[in-house]
Amino acid sequence: MLGSTHGTLTSDLRARVVACGEQTGDAVHETAAVAVAAGETDVSGQPLYAPVPDLDRFFRPASVAVVGASDSDGRPGAGITRQLVAWAEHVGARLHPVHPSRPSVYGRACVRSVRELAAPVDLAVLLVSDPLPVIEELAEAEVRFAVAFASGYAETGPEGAAAQARLAEAAERAGVRLLGPNTNLNAFERFRDDLQGPAVALITQSGHQGRPVFALQELGVRLSHWAPTGNEADLESADFLSYFAEQPEVGAIACYLEGLKDGRSFLLAADRAARRKVPVVAVKVGRTETGARTAASHTGKLTGTDAVVDAAMRQYGVIRVDGLDELQDTAALLARARTPVADGVAVYAISGGTGAHFADLATAAGLRIPRLSEARQAELHQWIPPYLNVANPVDNGGHPVGDERGRKIIDAILADPAIGVLICPITGPFPPMSDRLAQDLVDAAETTDKLVCVVWGSPVGTEPAYRSTLLGSSRVATFRTFANCITAVRAHLAHHRFTAGYVSPFDEAPRTPSPSFRKAQALMRPGEQLSEHAAKQLLRAYGIRVPREQLVTSAAAAVRAAGLVGYPVVMKASAPRLAHKTELGLVRIGLTSASQVRDAYRELTDIARYEDIDLDGILVCQMVERGVEMVVGVTQDALFGPTVTAGLGGVLVEVLNDVAVRVPPFGEDQARAMLAELRGRALLDGVRGGPPVDVDALVEVVLRVQRMALELGGVLSELDINPLMVLPRGQGAVALDALAVCR
């Protein structure tokens, strides 16, 4: 038991939590490559690193076999074959049509089966309704990758899922990496090769949902890859995410995800991107019950509890957006923008109303719009009339057209050290002023490391200032709406804050069980809910403080226990499978005398007999007051496994629903971030004259519960510490009640 020595923290805290059991001797962490080769896993048996698949020959094959190739007009395969022929010619790949009865397709000689291919083939595109027999032949032809275009698999129900499993097993036996089924050929689109700069790589589980991002090329944004993953029988989104994170030309990864095949695989891939500082932007459907149900019918995979998915993405810096327009604009900005030199945003507008409107929206979204210094304002008033506000937003009353004042205004704002981003909302074209303003912004952007953004609000979008001047610049980020600009800029600043301090939690995840685990094993009862007394013993095994208490089976023993524990006391019934004791009248608090204790014992045992509850005894507990009631627990998620929850506790926990969740492993920074997310976070700092509570002790409990989740996740279905009384600063935290359910 820890007692209440919680005064020191940070490096001390992690040391104490590790001392709760682990003694691995791992002084130096192995590199990811060595760890993968060694098959290194955490204490729960989950992998700590994931290999990066070599997908070079998938995206840039030297030779392609098209199985089921056709050139018959009106046949679906003919259009696809024609697309592949054109694509192969463009990238310089040899294309081999395969058809059992056709001598040639589009002037190219056919072979009857992949067995007859004369040379090894990098990629086979399977345009047949039943790809299973073909996959079984691919090993003989030494084919490395295959795309199964056919549908009718896991998206259709149990029978389709079984057929998909057989497809995956056949690919594994053949040594072939399989994309699909239920996919398309977006990977083999004609990408523009005349665009420069960092590129966006795209992952979509539904091909059509990637079209807006693919169209970024028409706005001058380079696209390097497109992975349409479909049902993910083998290759999954995480494989492509890991691969793209390692490609030097990729500046950002855009994802449209309907479901995740494996939670840990996705987190390892996101971790790789975070280590490489490659931003990942994702639309993940399934926020609502309807969306989740539709996604399951489309891809046949778990969508995951949305709150857990959201938290997991946030842990690893994945930027989650809602719309495809946001995905497009945010990915484009993150791919091209440089590292911010400051987080202050300046708003430069030709109208006071426009500036005020934009500033309201930006501030509400969490962007910082600092007031410019008096000296900077005086400088701006050299070129802007004194009756206009230049504190930020900067209102110029109309951008100067006939001289150099406009450019000087922009340069002066960008020169302010507090400003890292300049945003100019142009609500509509107003030539020649808007034309000159656009050109001045482009020219200024070429001379600064700071981010320059323009919102071109015209619904037409055909104006030369927009089409030629703004879109012709790779240094100006151009948007069509206020909201998308704010979303993208916020994501840009947040991504760089996140990666600047990122430390992978997988590097420090425990590898071996602790002594606490061995103690806990003896307490577990498979398939049962533990009594409160046993659940508290489980907490004590992991160094989580519980009140002084004794389990008694007679009124006389209860009186003796109360004397040892110290008045006032709390008395509670203790039994396996007993929850909601308060509702059943099985709790008595504030008992101050032996007679009250004897009476309470008789009352509690009488109620238990009436309710047919098989007691293991009555708990006589120390009464703990003067703190904030919190809840900390473990639940099982179908996608990610055990998760840790923390929030405001007590009897109103289900009403308030003010909780935050994280997926282990995570460090102290994420434990603190959980608390920062709570709507009632201010309670921990003291309200209405109350003292601040021991947040350090609360963080320590969260980390110890995480250790329990990692070590006991296979045998612990649920853990609920409620309330966890967090005492005034320096006095610790005490688990007043606990519920534990074994698997």
Side-chain angles (χ1 to χ4, degrees):
M1 186 166 172
L2 291 177
S4 56
T5 54
H6 301 284
T8 58
L9 193 69
T10 329
S11 60
D12 252 10
L13 174 58
R14 188 164 62 84
R16 287 205 308 276
V17 172
V18 171
C20 149
E22 181 184 10
Q23 307 199 359
T24 63
D26 263 349
V28 180
H29 296 295
E30 296 178 289
T31 65
V34 172
V36 169
E40 189 171 357
T41 61
D42 68 14
V43 69
S44 69
Q46 295 241 64
L48 289 168
Y49 302 100
V52 180
D54 183 1
L55 298 173
D56 290 348
R57 285 300 187 185
F58 174 84
F59 287 106
R60 302 289 185 267
S63 56
V64 181
V66 182
V67 182
S70 173
D71 56 5
S72 298
D73 291 340
R75 301 290 296 175
I80 297 172
T81 304
R82 188 166 52 247
Q83 174 191 342
L84 288 168
V85 167
W87 172 80
E89 290 176 349
H90 179 71
V91 301
R94 297 185 304 277
L95 187 137
H96 305 281
V98 179
H99 196 283
S101 60
R102 291 177 180 272
S104 66
V105 170
Y106 289 118
R108 289 168 168 76
C110 275
V111 295
R112 288 177 298 177
S113 74
V114 292
R115 290 191 179 98
E116 296 181 13
L117 292 169
V121 170
D122 294 322
L123 172 69
V125 180
L126 313 182
L127 304 182
V128 293
S129 59
D130 183 8
L132 182 59
V134 181
I135 288 177
E136 293 172 343
E137 298 175 2
L138 295 181
E140 300 175 36
E142 301 180 30
V143 176
R144 300 174 61 181
F145 297 99
V147 178
F149 190 71
S151 59
Y153 288 90
E155 76 277 10
T156 65
E159 289 186 12
Q164 182 169 304
R166 291 193 294 272
L167 204 62
E169 291 164 4
E172 185 176 7
R173 288 194 303 271
V176 176
R177 299 309 308 269
L178 176 68
L179 181 71
N182 192 27
T183 186
N184 54 37
L185 303 179
N186 296 140
F188 315 116
E189 297 276 359
R190 292 280 297 273
F191 298 99
R192 286 181 56 176
D193 51 16
D194 60 328
L195 301 174
Q196 303 298 316
V200 174
L202 177 60
I203 301 169
T204 61
Q205 286 178 293
S206 175
H208 290 298
Q209 295 295 84
R211 286 290 162 193
V213 178
F214 185 74
L216 281 171
Q217 295 175 106
E218 299 308 309
L219 303 181
V221 178
R222 183 182 169 204
L223 199 75
S224 60
H225 306 80
W226 188 349
T229 60
N231 281 15
E232 301 188 357
D234 174 27
L235 286 169
E236 59 180 302
S237 299
D239 293 316
F240 292 101
L241 184 55
S242 291
Y243 174 78
F244 292 155
E246 296 289 340
Q247 305 311 304
E249 71 270 30
V250 172
I253 302 169
C255 308
Y256 172 82
L257 305 172
E258 294 180 351
L260 300 176
K261 181 179 177 182
D262 179 85
R264 176 56 72 98
S265 295
F266 179 79
L267 297 185
L268 289 170
D271 172 68
R272 183 176 297 279
R275 293 175 191 253
R276 301 275 295 176
K277 302 186 186 302
V278 177
V280 180
V281 188
V283 169
K284 168 64 177 67
V285 300
R287 285 194 185 275
T288 66
E289 182 181 347
T290 301
R293 187 170 61 249
T294 303
S297 66
H298 190 186
T299 64
K301 286 189 300 300
L302 293 167
T303 54
T305 304
D306 191 69
V308 180
V309 171
D310 204 53
M313 287 185 168
R314 193 161 51 249
Q315 276 177 247
Y316 292 89
V318 177
I319 299 151
R320 190 175 182 185
V321 296
D322 291 321
L324 297 178
D325 57 332
E326 294 174 296
L327 179 67
Q328 167 189 302
D329 285 350
T330 305
L333 175 67
L334 286 165
R336 302 167 78 180
R338 302 178 186 180
T339 303
V341 297
D343 67 355
V345 175
V347 180
Y348 178 55
I350 59 176
S351 157
T354 300
H357 183 200
F358 193 93
D360 275 351
L361 296 173
T363 302
L367 295 181
R368 190 174 71 89
I369 301 181
R371 183 181 179 86
L372 299 180
S373 68
E374 295 300 326
R376 187 68 62 191
Q377 293 183 53
E379 181 183 6
L380 290 170
H381 276 309
Q382 297 178 66
W383 311 296
I384 297 174
Y387 57 83
L388 294 174
N389 180 25
V390 296
N392 195 13
V394 176
D395 176 11
N396 60 25
H399 188 74
V401 173
D403 52 39
E404 297 301 316
R405 286 176 297 156
R407 174 65 190 278
K408 289 181 178 179
I409 292 168
I410 295 170
D411 287 343
I413 297 171
L414 288 169
D416 193 295
I419 300 303
V421 182
L422 171 64
I423 301 176
C424 182
I426 304 173
T427 50
F430 192 65
M433 183 177 64
S434 55
D435 295 3
R436 180 60 182 268
L437 174 56
Q439 189 61 58
D440 283 346
L441 288 164
V442 167
D443 293 342
E446 295 293 337
T447 64
T448 181
D449 287 336
K450 297 183 178 182
L451 177 61
V452 176
C453 300
V454 175
V455 182
W456 189 261
S458 166
V460 180
T462 58
E463 300 84 0
Y466 171 67
R467 299 297 304 181
S468 299
T469 306
L470 293 173
L471 295 185
S473 169
S474 63
R475 295 288 297 120
V476 173
T478 305
F479 302 87
R480 301 302 301 277
T481 67
F482 284 14
N484 280 15
C485 176
I486 291 167
T487 295
V489 170
R490 180 178 60 190
H492 166 64
L493 297 173
H495 166 72
H496 288 282
R497 281 195 300 270
F498 176 83
T499 55
Y502 183 73
V503 176
S504 172
F506 295 112
D507 286 346
E508 299 193 1
R511 270 75 165 171
T512 58
S514 66
S516 299
F517 172 65
R518 290 186 282 275
K519 296 176 186 175
Q521 278 183 309
L523 299 169
M524 306 305 287
R525 298 291 180 268
E528 293 187 12
Q529 176 184 313
L530 301 182
S531 69
E532 178 183 338
H533 181 60
K536 284 180 174 176
Q537 287 181 302
L538 189 63
L539 298 184
R540 187 181 283 117
Y542 276 88
I544 296 171
R545 184 178 167 192
V546 299
R548 296 189 302 274
E549 63 182 36
Q550 289 191 20
L551 183 69
V552 299
T553 56
S554 70
V559 171
R560 289 194 298 272
L564 293 173
V565 167
Y567 289 102
V569 297
V570 175
M571 293 179 65
K572 296 187 279 187
S574 179
R577 298 176 298 281
L578 175 59
H580 307 297
K581 294 184 287 290
T582 302
E583 287 88 333
L584 293 173
L586 292 173
V587 178
R588 298 289 185 272
I589 63 173
L591 306 177
T592 58
S593 68
S595 62
Q596 289 180 337
V597 168
R598 279 191 291 269
D599 291 344
Y601 184 89
R602 284 192 295 270
E603 292 168 2
L604 293 175
T605 52
D606 286 346
I607 293 172
R609 278 192 297 272
Y610 178 78
E611 297 289 347
D612 197 24
I613 296 171
D614 186 14
L615 293 176
D616 61 3
I618 300 295
L619 280 173
V620 180
C621 311
Q622 171 194 10
M623 188 166 175
V624 179
E625 298 181 279
R626 294 189 65 246
V628 173
E629 293 185 339
M630 301 291 290
V631 59
V632 180
V634 176
T635 57
Q636 294 287 337
D637 182 76
L639 187 60
F640 293 100
T643 62
V644 176
T645 301
L648 294 184
V651 295
L652 295 179
V653 61
E654 294 176 2
V655 176
L656 298 173
N657 195 28
D658 188 10
V659 296
V661 63
R662 289 295 185 273
V663 179
F666 57 85
E668 180 188 333
D669 58 336
Q670 287 293 331
R672 293 187 182 280
M674 290 175 75
L675 305 182
E677 291 173 14
L678 300 177
R679 298 188 301 276
R681 172 64 177 82
L683 290 172
L684 302 178
D685 299 324
V687 293
R688 292 186 176 273
V693 301
D694 200 336
V695 175
D696 292 350
L698 174 56
V699 170
E700 184 173 340
V701 170
V702 171
L703 292 175
R704 290 182 184 269
V705 168
Q706 178 198 211
R707 186 60 183 260
M708 294 177 69
L710 284 168
E711 294 192 345
L712 301 175
V715 293
L716 182 65
S717 176
E718 180 183 354
L719 175 71
D720 191 36
I721 306 174
N722 182 31
L724 174 74
M725 186 68 80
V726 187
L727 304 175
R729 185 176 294 163
Q731 297 181 31
V734 185
L736 301 188
D737 199 352
L739 178 149
V741 180
C742 304
R743 302 181 80 173

